Amino acid sequence: MEVIAAIKNRRAVKSFDPHHKISEETRRVLLETAVLAPSAYNIQHWRVVDVQDPAERAAIREVAWGQAQVTDASALYVLCADLNAWQKEPRRYWATSPQPVQDFLLPKLDEYYRGKQEVARDEAMRTLGIFGMALMLVAQDLGYDSCPMDGFDFDAVAQIIHLPADFAIGYMVAVGKGTDNAWPRNREPVEKLVYIDHF
Ligand SMILES: Cc1cc2nc3c(=O)[nH]c(=O)nc-3n(C[C@H](O)[C@H](O)[C@H](O)COP(=O)(O)O)c2cc1C
């Protein structure tokens, strides 16, 4: 039930209290819980830039349509994916699994991604989507609001955060104390979105 409540209460908040600070302990819990999210082949592609420098936040806001969340939220995380994580010592992702599982999965993983950049990118983005949702729900559970954001110039933000060449930015997540009620919720009815057996 707590998960359902967190999902229902989470909104994409536009205004945050710029003076609120999130304690180091809470920030740690937030990230250490979010990394429990699932990832394809347990590759854990996520790399998070926690933008703390106010000048850097201001620079990002300039290339993010001036959105106030960027500077006013207590935390701003740029969620990035290591697109080549699948080939960086992949054995470590399965180190705690039984040997036969490792022996099966390691060649499979190579076969799945090698020479298939689009597949690797799709997998990384799926994984970042799930990671970000985990982050936002944990934030909710810890008494915080959040906003996922991709309204920004990706190349400009990549430059600001010194994004490595084989990484991609997925989106940003702002976390803090919301100061305004979110706009009324708007969702298509499930009946319009779900197909039984076929489109
Ligand atoms: C990938 C993604 C990017 C988004 N980018 C922005 C953004 O740049 N700025 C913003 O205010 N909201 C952004 N949103 C929030 C959506 O507008 C919001 O989730 C949607 O309108 C539904 O509202 P709710 O999340 O409050 O239910 C984004 C959401 C997602 C999933």
Side-chain angles (χ1 to χ4, degrees):
M1 283 309 278
E2 284 167 14
V3 175
I4 293 177
I7 291 173
K8 285 188 169 166
N9 291 333
R10 183 217 57 80
R11 299 299 314 275
V13 165
K14 316 293 177 199
S15 313
F16 290 94
D17 174 356
H19 305 295
H20 183 85
K21 298 241 180 299
I22 304 177
S23 72
E24 282 307 313
E25 169 64 8
T26 300
R27 283 169 165 267
R28 199 180 52 75
V29 172
L30 186 59
L31 291 171
E32 286 188 355
T33 312
V35 298
L36 301 179
S39 60
Y41 286 100
N42 196 32
I43 291 172
Q44 304 156 66
H45 314 70
W46 44 71
R47 302 291 181 270
V48 178
V49 180
D50 175 353
V51 185
Q52 299 188 357
D53 174 12
E56 189 172 332
R57 292 269 205 111
I60 294 178
R61 181 170 170 173
E62 278 208 6
V63 295
W65 312 346
Q67 296 191 79
Q69 301 95 310
V70 174
T71 49
D72 295 356
S74 307
L76 181 75
Y77 300 111
V78 186
L79 307 191
C80 307
D82 181 349
L83 301 175
N84 283 330
W86 64 271
Q87 56 182 334
K88 295 178 180 166
E89 300 171 57
R91 187 166 291 279
R92 66 197 157 115
Y93 305 133
W94 291 92
T96 55
S97 304
Q99 195 61 46
V101 174
Q102 296 191 33
D103 293 345
F104 172 79
L105 276 172
L106 285 167
K108 265 272 163 282
L109 182 149
D110 200 87
E111 188 187 306
Y112 200 90
Y113 295 111
R114 190 166 296 283
K116 301 173 194 156
Q117 277 184 340
E118 201 178 326
V119 172
R121 191 185 168 91
D122 283 353
E123 287 277 78
M125 289 299 158
R126 277 180 208 118
T127 295
L128 272 193
I130 294 169
F131 174 76
M133 190 65 196
L135 187 71
M136 291 186 279
L137 293 183
V138 178
Q140 201 68 41
D141 196 49
L142 293 169
Y144 284 99
D145 300 293
S146 61
C147 189
M149 305 179 72
D150 67 3
F152 56 89
D153 178 332
F154 277 59
D155 293 337
V157 173
Q159 274 202 351
I160 292 168
I161 64 169
H162 303 171
L163 188 78
D166 57 347
F167 283 40
I169 297 175
Y171 52 106
M172 307 194 283
V173 175
V175 177
K177 288 283 180 196
T179 52
D180 259 349
N181 287 332
W183 303 329
R185 199 156 228 166
N186 175 6
R187 288 295 187 276
E188 298 279 288
V190 166
E191 294 71 30
K192 272 180 73 178
L193 309 174
V194 176
Y195 301 81
I196 308 296
D197 296 334
H198 308 284
F199 275 98

PDB file of all heavy atoms in Angstrom, residues 78-110:
ATOM      1  N   VAL A  78      21.475  14.564 -12.851  1.00  0.00           N
ATOM      2  CA  VAL A  78      21.459  14.303 -14.292  1.00  0.00           C
ATOM      3  C   VAL A  78      21.694  12.809 -14.452  1.00  0.00           C
ATOM      4  O   VAL A  78      22.761  12.293 -14.078  1.00  0.00           O
ATOM      5  CB  VAL A  78      22.538  15.110 -15.042  1.00  0.00           C
ATOM      6  CG1 VAL A  78      22.380  14.907 -16.548  1.00  0.00           C
ATOM      7  CG2 VAL A  78      22.466  16.592 -14.688  1.00  0.00           C
ATOM      8  N   LEU A  79      20.677  12.112 -14.956  1.00  0.00           N
ATOM      9  CA  LEU A  79      20.778  10.660 -15.086  1.00  0.00           C
ATOM     10  C   LEU A  79      21.421  10.338 -16.430  1.00  0.00           C
ATOM     11  O   LEU A  79      20.884  10.649 -17.493  1.00  0.00           O
ATOM     12  CB  LEU A  79      19.397  10.003 -14.998  1.00  0.00           C
ATOM     13  CG  LEU A  79      18.555  10.351 -13.778  1.00  0.00           C
ATOM     14  CD1 LEU A  79      17.346   9.418 -13.695  1.00  0.00           C
ATOM     15  CD2 LEU A  79      19.354  10.287 -12.488  1.00  0.00           C
ATOM     16  N   CYS A  80      22.571   9.710 -16.353  1.00  0.00           N
ATOM     17  CA  CYS A  80      23.334   9.378 -17.552  1.00  0.00           C
ATOM     18  C   CYS A  80      23.470   7.865 -17.632  1.00  0.00           C
ATOM     19  O   CYS A  80      23.336   7.160 -16.626  1.00  0.00           O
ATOM     20  CB  CYS A  80      24.734   9.983 -17.480  1.00  0.00           C
ATOM     21  SG  CYS A  80      24.713  11.752 -17.142  1.00  0.00           S
ATOM     22  N   ALA A  81      23.746   7.396 -18.842  1.00  0.00           N
ATOM     23  CA  ALA A  81      23.955   5.957 -19.013  1.00  0.00           C
ATOM     24  C   ALA A  81      25.329   5.724 -19.619  1.00  0.00           C
ATOM     25  O   ALA A  81      25.731   6.429 -20.550  1.00  0.00           O
ATOM     26  CB  ALA A  81      22.889   5.384 -19.926  1.00  0.00           C
ATOM     27  N   ASP A  82      26.008   4.730 -19.095  1.00  0.00           N
ATOM     28  CA  ASP A  82      27.266   4.289 -19.692  1.00  0.00           C
ATOM     29  C   ASP A  82      26.881   3.283 -20.772  1.00  0.00           C
ATOM     30  O   ASP A  82      26.529   2.138 -20.478  1.00  0.00           O
ATOM     31  CB  ASP A  82      28.141   3.644 -18.616  1.00  0.00           C
ATOM     32  CG  ASP A  82      29.473   3.182 -19.183  1.00  0.00           C
ATOM     33  OD1 ASP A  82      29.633   3.168 -20.422  1.00  0.00           O
ATOM     34  OD2 ASP A  82      30.359   2.812 -18.386  1.00  0.00           O
ATOM     35  N   LEU A  83      26.947   3.722 -22.028  1.00  0.00           N
ATOM     36  CA  LEU A  83      26.452   2.883 -23.131  1.00  0.00           C
ATOM     37  C   LEU A  83      27.320   1.654 -23.350  1.00  0.00           C
ATOM     38  O   LEU A  83      26.873   0.671 -23.947  1.00  0.00           O
ATOM     39  CB  LEU A  83      26.391   3.706 -24.425  1.00  0.00           C
ATOM     40  CG  LEU A  83      25.491   4.948 -24.362  1.00  0.00           C
ATOM     41  CD1 LEU A  83      25.597   5.753 -25.648  1.00  0.00           C
ATOM     42  CD2 LEU A  83      24.038   4.546 -24.101  1.00  0.00           C
ATOM     43  N   ASN A  84      28.537   1.711 -22.887  1.00  0.00           N
ATOM     44  CA  ASN A  84      29.435   0.558 -23.063  1.00  0.00           C
ATOM     45  C   ASN A  84      29.649  -0.221 -21.776  1.00  0.00           C
ATOM     46  O   ASN A  84      30.581  -1.034 -21.691  1.00  0.00           O
ATOM     47  CB  ASN A  84      30.794   1.029 -23.610  1.00  0.00           C
ATOM     48  CG  ASN A  84      30.699   1.331 -25.093  1.00  0.00           C
ATOM     49  OD1 ASN A  84      29.898   0.712 -25.796  1.00  0.00           O
ATOM     50  ND2 ASN A  84      31.485   2.281 -25.568  1.00  0.00           N
ATOM     51  N   ALA A  85      28.800   0.013 -20.813  1.00  0.00           N
ATOM     52  CA  ALA A  85      28.970  -0.697 -19.534  1.00  0.00           C
ATOM     53  C   ALA A  85      28.931  -2.210 -19.747  1.00  0.00           C
ATOM     54  O   ALA A  85      29.552  -2.968 -19.000  1.00  0.00           O
ATOM     55  CB  ALA A  85      27.902  -0.256 -18.547  1.00  0.00           C
ATOM     56  N   TRP A  86      28.216  -2.632 -20.799  1.00  0.00           N
ATOM     57  CA  TRP A  86      28.083  -4.076 -21.043  1.00  0.00           C
ATOM     58  C   TRP A  86      29.420  -4.749 -21.305  1.00  0.00           C
ATOM     59  O   TRP A  86      29.556  -5.954 -21.094  1.00  0.00           O
ATOM     60  CB  TRP A  86      27.129  -4.336 -22.219  1.00  0.00           C
ATOM     61  CG  TRP A  86      27.611  -3.809 -23.538  1.00  0.00           C
ATOM     62  CD1 TRP A  86      27.380  -2.570 -24.045  1.00  0.00           C
ATOM     63  CD2 TRP A  86      28.415  -4.491 -24.491  1.00  0.00           C
ATOM     64  NE1 TRP A  86      27.986  -2.426 -25.268  1.00  0.00           N
ATOM     65  CE2 TRP A  86      28.626  -3.596 -25.567  1.00  0.00           C
ATOM     66  CE3 TRP A  86      28.987  -5.760 -24.563  1.00  0.00           C
ATOM     67  CZ2 TRP A  86      29.384  -3.931 -26.691  1.00  0.00           C
ATOM     68  CZ3 TRP A  86      29.740  -6.096 -25.683  1.00  0.00           C
ATOM     69  CH2 TRP A  86      29.933  -5.201 -26.734  1.00  0.00           C
ATOM     70  N   GLN A  87      30.421  -3.965 -21.753  1.00  0.00           N
ATOM     71  CA  GLN A  87      31.712  -4.607 -22.037  1.00  0.00           C
ATOM     72  C   GLN A  87      32.824  -4.181 -21.072  1.00  0.00           C
ATOM     73  O   GLN A  87      33.991  -4.417 -21.315  1.00  0.00           O
ATOM     74  CB  GLN A  87      32.136  -4.373 -23.483  1.00  0.00           C
ATOM     75  CG  GLN A  87      32.219  -2.932 -23.911  1.00  0.00           C
ATOM     76  CD  GLN A  87      32.600  -2.823 -25.385  1.00  0.00           C
ATOM     77  OE1 GLN A  87      33.238  -3.711 -25.923  1.00  0.00           O
ATOM     78  NE2 GLN A  87      32.208  -1.748 -26.030  1.00  0.00           N
ATOM     79  N   LYS A  88      32.422  -3.541 -19.979  1.00  0.00           N
ATOM     80  CA  LYS A  88      33.426  -3.112 -18.997  1.00  0.00           C
ATOM     81  C   LYS A  88      33.407  -4.091 -17.830  1.00  0.00           C
ATOM     82  O   LYS A  88      32.588  -3.956 -16.923  1.00  0.00           O
ATOM     83  CB  LYS A  88      33.143  -1.677 -18.559  1.00  0.00           C
ATOM     84  CG  LYS A  88      33.310  -0.680 -19.703  1.00  0.00           C
ATOM     85  CD  LYS A  88      32.987   0.754 -19.299  1.00  0.00           C
ATOM     86  CE  LYS A  88      33.178   1.699 -20.481  1.00  0.00           C
ATOM     87  NZ  LYS A  88      32.575   3.027 -20.251  1.00  0.00           N
ATOM     88  N   GLU A  89      34.277  -5.074 -17.881  1.00  0.00           N
ATOM     89  CA  GLU A  89      34.352  -6.131 -16.848  1.00  0.00           C
ATOM     90  C   GLU A  89      32.972  -6.693 -16.531  1.00  0.00           C
ATOM     91  O   GLU A  89      32.542  -6.670 -15.364  1.00  0.00           O
ATOM     92  CB  GLU A  89      34.956  -5.588 -15.557  1.00  0.00           C
ATOM     93  CG  GLU A  89      36.346  -5.035 -15.679  1.00  0.00           C
ATOM     94  CD  GLU A  89      36.742  -4.326 -14.398  1.00  0.00           C
ATOM     95  OE1 GLU A  89      36.718  -4.961 -13.328  1.00  0.00           O
ATOM     96  OE2 GLU A  89      37.017  -3.113 -14.483  1.00  0.00           O
ATOM     97  N   PRO A  90      32.246  -7.221 -17.493  1.00  0.00           N
ATOM     98  CA  PRO A  90      30.862  -7.651 -17.242  1.00  0.00           C
ATOM     99  C   PRO A  90      30.738  -8.757 -16.199  1.00  0.00           C
ATOM    100  O   PRO A  90      29.678  -8.907 -15.582  1.00  0.00           O
ATOM    101  CB  PRO A  90      30.381  -8.132 -18.619  1.00  0.00           C
ATOM    102  CG  PRO A  90      31.610  -8.381 -19.412  1.00  0.00           C
ATOM    103  CD  PRO A  90      32.655  -7.444 -18.896  1.00  0.00           C
ATOM    104  N   ARG A  91      31.826  -9.483 -15.975  1.00  0.00           N
ATOM    105  CA  ARG A  91      31.768 -10.577 -14.994  1.00  0.00           C
ATOM    106  C   ARG A  91      31.286 -10.076 -13.628  1.00  0.00           C
ATOM    107  O   ARG A  91      30.591 -10.769 -12.898  1.00  0.00           O
ATOM    108  CB  ARG A  91      33.160 -11.218 -14.887  1.00  0.00           C
ATOM    109  CG  ARG A  91      33.256 -12.449 -14.049  1.00  0.00           C
ATOM    110  CD  ARG A  91      34.566 -13.182 -14.285  1.00  0.00           C
ATOM    111  NE  ARG A  91      34.644 -13.788 -15.612  1.00  0.00           N
ATOM    112  CZ  ARG A  91      34.078 -14.952 -15.934  1.00  0.00           C
ATOM    113  NH1 ARG A  91      33.394 -15.629 -15.048  1.00  0.00           N
ATOM    114  NH2 ARG A  91      34.200 -15.432 -17.154  1.00  0.00           N
ATOM    115  N   ARG A  92      31.640  -8.811 -13.320  1.00  0.00           N
ATOM    116  CA  ARG A  92      31.291  -8.293 -11.981  1.00  0.00           C
ATOM    117  C   ARG A  92      29.781  -8.181 -11.775  1.00  0.00           C
ATOM    118  O   ARG A  92      29.291  -8.236 -10.648  1.00  0.00           O
ATOM    119  CB  ARG A  92      31.977  -6.946 -11.724  1.00  0.00           C
ATOM    120  CG  ARG A  92      31.510  -5.821 -12.624  1.00  0.00           C
ATOM    121  CD  ARG A  92      32.512  -4.661 -12.601  1.00  0.00           C
ATOM    122  NE  ARG A  92      32.394  -3.843 -13.788  1.00  0.00           N
ATOM    123  CZ  ARG A  92      31.991  -2.573 -13.789  1.00  0.00           C
ATOM    124  NH1 ARG A  92      31.707  -1.974 -12.655  1.00  0.00           N
ATOM    125  NH2 ARG A  92      31.906  -1.889 -14.902  1.00  0.00           N
ATOM    126  N   TYR A  93      29.015  -8.035 -12.865  1.00  0.00           N
ATOM    127  CA  TYR A  93      27.572  -7.860 -12.708  1.00  0.00           C
ATOM    128  C   TYR A  93      26.891  -9.137 -12.225  1.00  0.00           C
ATOM    129  O   TYR A  93      25.774  -9.105 -11.727  1.00  0.00           O
ATOM    130  CB  TYR A  93      26.936  -7.424 -14.036  1.00  0.00           C
ATOM    131  CG  TYR A  93      27.566  -6.182 -14.639  1.00  0.00           C
ATOM    132  CD1 TYR A  93      27.908  -6.126 -15.989  1.00  0.00           C
ATOM    133  CD2 TYR A  93      27.844  -5.066 -13.852  1.00  0.00           C
ATOM    134  CE1 TYR A  93      28.492  -4.989 -16.535  1.00  0.00           C
ATOM    135  CE2 TYR A  93      28.436  -3.937 -14.393  1.00  0.00           C
ATOM    136  CZ  TYR A  93      28.762  -3.908 -15.739  1.00  0.00           C
ATOM    137  OH  TYR A  93      29.342  -2.787 -16.267  1.00  0.00           O
ATOM    138  N   TRP A  94      27.583 -10.281 -12.410  1.00  0.00           N
ATOM    139  CA  TRP A  94      26.994 -11.575 -12.051  1.00  0.00           C
ATOM    140  C   TRP A  94      27.826 -12.311 -11.027  1.00  0.00           C
ATOM    141  O   TRP A  94      27.667 -13.517 -10.832  1.00  0.00           O
ATOM    142  CB  TRP A  94      26.832 -12.420 -13.328  1.00  0.00           C
ATOM    143  CG  TRP A  94      25.788 -11.809 -14.175  1.00  0.00           C
ATOM    144  CD1 TRP A  94      25.955 -10.894 -15.179  1.00  0.00           C
ATOM    145  CD2 TRP A  94      24.382 -11.986 -14.049  1.00  0.00           C
ATOM    146  NE1 TRP A  94      24.742 -10.494 -15.676  1.00  0.00           N
ATOM    147  CE2 TRP A  94      23.767 -11.161 -15.001  1.00  0.00           C
ATOM    148  CE3 TRP A  94      23.585 -12.767 -13.202  1.00  0.00           C
ATOM    149  CZ2 TRP A  94      22.383 -11.094 -15.140  1.00  0.00           C
ATOM    150  CZ3 TRP A  94      22.209 -12.715 -13.352  1.00  0.00           C
ATOM    151  CH2 TRP A  94      21.626 -11.868 -14.311  1.00  0.00           C
ATOM    152  N   ALA A  95      28.729 -11.559 -10.370  1.00  0.00           N
ATOM    153  CA  ALA A  95      29.712 -12.195  -9.478  1.00  0.00           C
ATOM    154  C   ALA A  95      29.068 -13.008  -8.357  1.00  0.00           C
ATOM    155  O   ALA A  95      29.679 -13.953  -7.854  1.00  0.00           O
ATOM    156  CB  ALA A  95      30.639 -11.133  -8.900  1.00  0.00           C
ATOM    157  N   THR A  96      27.848 -12.671  -7.952  1.00  0.00           N
ATOM    158  CA  THR A  96      27.229 -13.396  -6.831  1.00  0.00           C
ATOM    159  C   THR A  96      26.319 -14.526  -7.315  1.00  0.00           C
ATOM    160  O   THR A  96      25.660 -15.176  -6.512  1.00  0.00           O
ATOM    161  CB  THR A  96      26.385 -12.427  -5.963  1.00  0.00           C
ATOM    162  OG1 THR A  96      25.433 -11.775  -6.816  1.00  0.00           O
ATOM    163  CG2 THR A  96      27.245 -11.379  -5.280  1.00  0.00           C
ATOM    164  N   SER A  97      26.245 -14.739  -8.616  1.00  0.00           N
ATOM    165  CA  SER A  97      25.365 -15.789  -9.146  1.00  0.00           C
ATOM    166  C   SER A  97      26.125 -17.110  -9.239  1.00  0.00           C
ATOM    167  O   SER A  97      27.356 -17.118  -9.308  1.00  0.00           O
ATOM    168  CB  SER A  97      24.876 -15.407 -10.540  1.00  0.00           C
ATOM    169  OG  SER A  97      24.257 -14.165 -10.466  1.00  0.00           O
ATOM    170  N   PRO A  98      25.391 -18.226  -9.285  1.00  0.00           N
ATOM    171  CA  PRO A  98      26.065 -19.524  -9.413  1.00  0.00           C
ATOM    172  C   PRO A  98      26.907 -19.567 -10.696  1.00  0.00           C
ATOM    173  O   PRO A  98      26.548 -18.935 -11.696  1.00  0.00           O
ATOM    174  CB  PRO A  98      24.900 -20.514  -9.489  1.00  0.00           C
ATOM    175  CG  PRO A  98      23.719 -19.780  -8.961  1.00  0.00           C
ATOM    176  CD  PRO A  98      23.944 -18.327  -9.197  1.00  0.00           C
ATOM    177  N   GLN A  99      27.983 -20.320 -10.655  1.00  0.00           N
ATOM    178  CA  GLN A  99      28.917 -20.375 -11.786  1.00  0.00           C
ATOM    179  C   GLN A  99      28.233 -20.735 -13.115  1.00  0.00           C
ATOM    180  O   GLN A  99      28.504 -20.092 -14.138  1.00  0.00           O
ATOM    181  CB  GLN A  99      30.062 -21.361 -11.476  1.00  0.00           C
ATOM    182  CG  GLN A  99      31.246 -21.213 -12.421  1.00  0.00           C
ATOM    183  CD  GLN A  99      31.882 -19.830 -12.353  1.00  0.00           C
ATOM    184  OE1 GLN A  99      32.122 -19.292 -11.263  1.00  0.00           O
ATOM    185  NE2 GLN A  99      32.152 -19.232 -13.512  1.00  0.00           N
ATOM    186  N   PRO A 100      27.313 -21.720 -13.130  1.00  0.00           N
ATOM    187  CA  PRO A 100      26.684 -22.052 -14.414  1.00  0.00           C
ATOM    188  C   PRO A 100      25.899 -20.871 -14.999  1.00  0.00           C
ATOM    189  O   PRO A 100      25.847 -20.694 -16.213  1.00  0.00           O
ATOM    190  CB  PRO A 100      25.736 -23.213 -14.067  1.00  0.00           C
ATOM    191  CG  PRO A 100      26.249 -23.779 -12.793  1.00  0.00           C
ATOM    192  CD  PRO A 100      26.895 -22.653 -12.053  1.00  0.00           C
ATOM    193  N   VAL A 101      25.318 -20.056 -14.127  1.00  0.00           N
ATOM    194  CA  VAL A 101      24.588 -18.870 -14.598  1.00  0.00           C
ATOM    195  C   VAL A 101      25.571 -17.888 -15.230  1.00  0.00           C
ATOM    196  O   VAL A 101      25.347 -17.345 -16.322  1.00  0.00           O
ATOM    197  CB  VAL A 101      23.815 -18.201 -13.427  1.00  0.00           C
ATOM    198  CG1 VAL A 101      23.165 -16.900 -13.865  1.00  0.00           C
ATOM    199  CG2 VAL A 101      22.769 -19.158 -12.869  1.00  0.00           C
ATOM    200  N   GLN A 102      26.689 -17.687 -14.557  1.00  0.00           N
ATOM    201  CA  GLN A 102      27.708 -16.781 -15.100  1.00  0.00           C
ATOM    202  C   GLN A 102      28.215 -17.284 -16.447  1.00  0.00           C
ATOM    203  O   GLN A 102      28.359 -16.516 -17.397  1.00  0.00           O
ATOM    204  CB  GLN A 102      28.893 -16.680 -14.142  1.00  0.00           C
ATOM    205  CG  GLN A 102      28.535 -16.074 -12.809  1.00  0.00           C
ATOM    206  CD  GLN A 102      29.784 -15.757 -11.991  1.00  0.00           C
ATOM    207  OE1 GLN A 102      30.833 -15.420 -12.532  1.00  0.00           O
ATOM    208  NE2 GLN A 102      29.680 -15.875 -10.677  1.00  0.00           N
ATOM    209  N   ASP A 103      28.454 -18.593 -16.507  1.00  0.00           N
ATOM    210  CA  ASP A 103      29.012 -19.166 -17.738  1.00  0.00           C
ATOM    211  C   ASP A 103      28.033 -19.029 -18.897  1.00  0.00           C
ATOM    212  O   ASP A 103      28.430 -18.887 -20.042  1.00  0.00           O
ATOM    213  CB  ASP A 103      29.366 -20.650 -17.534  1.00  0.00           C
ATOM    214  CG  ASP A 103      30.520 -20.802 -16.546  1.00  0.00           C
ATOM    215  OD1 ASP A 103      31.197 -19.781 -16.273  1.00  0.00           O
ATOM    216  OD2 ASP A 103      30.727 -21.921 -16.041  1.00  0.00           O
ATOM    217  N   PHE A 104      26.739 -19.072 -18.583  1.00  0.00           N
ATOM    218  CA  PHE A 104      25.727 -18.925 -19.629  1.00  0.00           C
ATOM    219  C   PHE A 104      25.578 -17.456 -20.037  1.00  0.00           C
ATOM    220  O   PHE A 104      25.526 -17.114 -21.215  1.00  0.00           O
ATOM    221  CB  PHE A 104      24.377 -19.473 -19.118  1.00  0.00           C
ATOM    222  CG  PHE A 104      23.232 -19.201 -20.047  1.00  0.00           C
ATOM    223  CD1 PHE A 104      23.039 -19.986 -21.183  1.00  0.00           C
ATOM    224  CD2 PHE A 104      22.337 -18.163 -19.802  1.00  0.00           C
ATOM    225  CE1 PHE A 104      21.981 -19.730 -22.056  1.00  0.00           C
ATOM    226  CE2 PHE A 104      21.278 -17.902 -20.674  1.00  0.00           C
ATOM    227  CZ  PHE A 104      21.100 -18.691 -21.801  1.00  0.00           C
ATOM    228  N   LEU A 105      25.525 -16.577 -19.029  1.00  0.00           N
ATOM    229  CA  LEU A 105      25.153 -15.192 -19.312  1.00  0.00           C
ATOM    230  C   LEU A 105      26.259 -14.353 -19.945  1.00  0.00           C
ATOM    231  O   LEU A 105      25.977 -13.488 -20.774  1.00  0.00           O
ATOM    232  CB  LEU A 105      24.671 -14.518 -18.027  1.00  0.00           C
ATOM    233  CG  LEU A 105      23.207 -14.783 -17.713  1.00  0.00           C
ATOM    234  CD1 LEU A 105      22.853 -14.250 -16.341  1.00  0.00           C
ATOM    235  CD2 LEU A 105      22.299 -14.141 -18.773  1.00  0.00           C
ATOM    236  N   LEU A 106      27.488 -14.601 -19.564  1.00  0.00           N
ATOM    237  CA  LEU A 106      28.550 -13.713 -20.058  1.00  0.00           C
ATOM    238  C   LEU A 106      28.678 -13.756 -21.577  1.00  0.00           C
ATOM    239  O   LEU A 106      28.674 -12.710 -22.224  1.00  0.00           O
ATOM    240  CB  LEU A 106      29.869 -13.993 -19.341  1.00  0.00           C
ATOM    241  CG  LEU A 106      29.844 -13.433 -17.918  1.00  0.00           C
ATOM    242  CD1 LEU A 106      30.997 -13.967 -17.087  1.00  0.00           C
ATOM    243  CD2 LEU A 106      29.860 -11.915 -17.934  1.00  0.00           C
ATOM    244  N   PRO A 107      28.739 -14.932 -22.200  1.00  0.00           N
ATOM    245  CA  PRO A 107      28.758 -14.933 -23.668  1.00  0.00           C
ATOM    246  C   PRO A 107      27.460 -14.413 -24.278  1.00  0.00           C
ATOM    247  O   PRO A 107      27.473 -13.734 -25.309  1.00  0.00           O
ATOM    248  CB  PRO A 107      28.974 -16.405 -24.040  1.00  0.00           C
ATOM    249  CG  PRO A 107      28.947 -17.195 -22.791  1.00  0.00           C
ATOM    250  CD  PRO A 107      28.907 -16.269 -21.627  1.00  0.00           C
ATOM    251  N   LYS A 108      26.343 -14.668 -23.600  1.00  0.00           N
ATOM    252  CA  LYS A 108      25.036 -14.181 -24.096  1.00  0.00           C
ATOM    253  C   LYS A 108      25.024 -12.655 -24.161  1.00  0.00           C
ATOM    254  O   LYS A 108      24.546 -12.058 -25.121  1.00  0.00           O
ATOM    255  CB  LYS A 108      23.915 -14.617 -23.138  1.00  0.00           C
ATOM    256  CG  LYS A 108      23.216 -15.884 -23.516  1.00  0.00           C
ATOM    257  CD  LYS A 108      22.048 -15.580 -24.460  1.00  0.00           C
ATOM    258  CE  LYS A 108      21.538 -16.779 -25.200  1.00  0.00           C
ATOM    259  NZ  LYS A 108      22.325 -17.208 -26.340  1.00  0.00           N
ATOM    260  N   LEU A 109      25.524 -12.073 -23.107  1.00  0.00           N
ATOM    261  CA  LEU A 109      25.547 -10.615 -23.009  1.00  0.00           C
ATOM    262  C   LEU A 109      26.381 -10.026 -24.160  1.00  0.00           C
ATOM    263  O   LEU A 109      25.968  -9.076 -24.824  1.00  0.00           O
ATOM    264  CB  LEU A 109      26.138 -10.260 -21.648  1.00  0.00           C
ATOM    265  CG  LEU A 109      26.266  -8.815 -21.212  1.00  0.00           C
ATOM    266  CD1 LEU A 109      26.121  -8.743 -19.703  1.00  0.00           C
ATOM    267  CD2 LEU A 109      27.606  -8.243 -21.593  1.00  0.00           C
ATOM    268  N   ASP A 110      27.499 -10.636 -24.419  1.00  0.00           N
ATOM    269  CA  ASP A 110      28.368 -10.163 -25.496  1.00  0.00           C
ATOM    270  C   ASP A 110      27.656 -10.259 -26.842  1.00  0.00           C
ATOM    271  O   ASP A 110      27.632  -9.309 -27.638  1.00  0.00           O
ATOM    272  CB  ASP A 110      29.657 -10.988 -25.500  1.00  0.00           C
ATOM    273  CG  ASP A 110      30.754 -10.260 -26.230  1.00  0.00           C
ATOM    274  OD1 ASP A 110      31.470  -9.454 -25.587  1.00  0.00           O
ATOM    275  OD2 ASP A 110      30.865 -10.461 -27.444  1.00  0.00           O
TER     276      ASP A 110
END
